[in-house]
Amino acid sequence: MDFGIGIATSSDSWKLAQRAEELGFTHALFFDTQMITGDCFVAMAGAALKTSRIRLGTGVLVPSNRIAAVTANTFATLNGMAPARIDFGIGTGFSARRVMGLGAVKLAEMEEYIRVVYGLLNNETIETPIEGKRRKIRFLNPEIGLINTQDPIPLHISAYGPRSQALTAKLGAGWKSFVSDAPGAMAAIESMQQSWRAAGRASTDLYATAWTCGCVLAEGEPADSPRAMAQAGPRAAVLSTWRVGRTPRRRHLRSPPRSPAMSRLRAVMSRPTRAI
């Protein structure tokens, strides 16, 4: 089990990422909401220069915010600054598009976007529509070292419904979902596991990220203190942000308070046959 932190991106987000690394967190994920927070890639670059171990990713990137070729180039550039520490999280968009009066990006468009980004990162020649015409594009000189296309950049998809979960399973991507209570988390996990198995994938290969709101506690402060409850809400007070992968690792972090539902959820997550 890995613990990560989601960051409402700002110009000094590197400070949070740096402190999270010092505390043993494994991931720092940056919001891509251009009308609300700062730019995720600018913040990730700052964090890449100020950290050495923590993974840095988009949480999550919205495809319509930039063309796929630019995204591929940016990830490859960040991969040069923080080799093998970059994650590509993507979703169909909610906050970033809603504040501009737009709905979510279509799943087919997101799948095409992912295809182009990873084709370029794999140094392939990709044909894709650009300004109304099919065009062939590729990185022209990755071998001279201006970008890093050698170290892998894992894909993680924010998927809530059955169609997006099926796409996640089809692509063999990591899965992200926001949870607000243990029963809801259980239902989401089981739904994603069904899609994963339906795609013929081993359940132990699924890497999942559960998002929840939280609060950084002061030394000795209980999780249900008035301040914590006001900041994170009563449900979030009994949950923590976690990542579950193939190789659970122990971290010196304060555990969330126990509850029957939470105990059951953690038991499912630690069971090898149902690992997510």
Side-chain angles (χ1 to χ4, degrees):
M1 181 176 291
D2 298 334
F3 286 80
I5 182 173
I7 298 176
T9 315
S10 66
S11 57
D12 62 352
S13 289
W14 63 266
K15 296 178 182 178
L16 286 174
Q18 186 181 65
R19 182 56 176 155
E21 180 178 82
E22 293 171 354
L23 292 173
F25 285 84
T26 58
H27 297 72
L29 305 178
F30 299 79
F31 298 177
D32 186 21
T33 48
Q34 71 283 347
M35 306 308 295
I36 302 173
T37 64
D39 183 82
C40 58
F41 284 139
V42 172
M44 286 173 66
L49 295 174
K50 295 290 186 176
T51 60
S52 59
R53 300 182 308 278
I54 194 169
R55 298 192 64 85
L56 308 170
T58 48
V60 289
L61 180 143
V62 180
S64 59
N65 283 357
R66 53 192 72 80
I67 65 173
V70 171
T71 293
N73 178 276
T74 306
F75 274 122
T77 304
L78 286 168
N79 208 22
M81 301 171 71
R85 289 199 291 131
I86 302 300
D87 289 307
F88 177 15
I90 189 171
T92 57
F94 180 70
S95 300
R97 290 177 57 83
R98 190 176 184 185
V99 295
M100 298 191 298
L102 301 171
V105 171
K106 294 180 180 178
L107 281 178
E109 295 175 355
M110 185 175 76
E111 183 176 3
E112 168 66 9
Y113 191 92
I114 292 169
R115 182 189 72 84
V116 174
V117 169
Y118 276 98
L120 293 172
L121 291 176
N122 290 331
N123 295 319
E124 300 170 2
T125 298
I126 298 298
E127 184 174 337
T128 185
I130 300 177
E131 296 187 1
K133 293 184 179 181
R134 302 286 298 183
R135 303 177 190 274
K136 293 182 178 180
I137 57 174
R138 66 174 296 126
F139 288 139
L140 298 181
N141 53 359
E143 71 282 352
I144 68 175
L146 300 180
I147 57 176
N148 176 6
T149 58
Q150 299 304 309
D151 291 299
I153 299 176
L155 173 67
H156 304 264
I157 297 176
S158 176
Y160 294 89
R163 290 177 59 233
S164 57
Q165 290 178 357
L167 176 60
T168 302
K170 172 185 174 181
L171 299 179
W175 171 63
K176 296 176 181 287
S177 183
F178 191 91
V179 299
S180 59
D181 55 58
M186 288 294 300
I189 290 166
E190 291 169 359
S191 176
M192 184 62 228
Q193 287 176 329
Q194 289 176 6
S195 295
W196 195 257
R197 290 192 295 268
R201 299 188 180 277
S203 60
T204 51
D205 290 340
L206 176 60
Y207 189 97
T209 300
W211 284 79
T212 187
C213 296
C215 173
V216 178
L217 301 176
E219 189 66 33
E221 181 182 10
D224 60 352
S225 72
R227 185 188 72 87
M229 298 291 269
Q231 179 169 322
R235 289 182 176 179
V238 300
L239 294 172
S240 62
T241 301
W242 63 83
R243 290 173 165 267
V244 184
R246 301 180 184 84
T247 309
R249 289 171 283 181
R250 294 186 180 275
R251 295 286 173 183
H252 298 292
L253 300 172
R254 183 176 301 168
S255 299
R258 297 279 182 172
S259 70
M262 191 65 191
S263 296
R264 178 170 171 253
L265 177 59
R266 292 171 71 90
V268 169
M269 291 176 127
S270 61
R271 208 175 297 156
T273 57
R274 299 189 67 191
I276 63 170

